[in-house]
Amino acid sequence: ALPFQCGEISLSITASIGISLYPTDGADFQALMQAADIAMYHSKRERNRFWFYGHWMETENSAAKPSPSDGL
């Protein structure tokens, strides 16, 4: 996105999105929100990305970490 000039300050807006799917990632609203929140924090690490929730995200040391471009 192009930056927006506000006086002498240049502002940019980006989005980091976490996505969870029913019923795979949770059976109720609370579980889906928690899964989406975990996915969002993974997307924030790389900035301006989206991530679908994966159970591997709940472990700190995941050797099988896919990338967002893997078509998740």
Side-chain angles (χ1 to χ4, degrees):
L2 296 174
F4 173 75
Q5 280 302 125
C6 185
E8 295 180 16
I9 300 171
S10 180
L11 303 172
S12 294
I13 297 174
T14 63
S16 297
I17 300 170
I19 303 167
S20 62
L21 302 173
Y22 174 83
T24 308
D25 302 327
D28 59 32
F29 177 79
Q30 198 67 23
L32 289 169
M33 286 300 294
Q34 183 177 6
D37 194 49
I38 291 169
M40 180 191 63
Y41 281 103
H42 278 268
S43 69
K44 284 180 175 255
R45 290 180 188 166
E46 298 177 30
R47 296 182 175 250
N48 204 26
R49 300 219 180 235
F50 68 91
W51 274 92
F52 284 89
Y53 173 79
H55 292 285
W56 61 268
M57 292 178 174
E58 294 188 30
T59 61
E60 283 296 317
N61 299 321
S62 176
K65 178 187 172 201
S67 71
S69 61
D70 287 342
L72 299 175

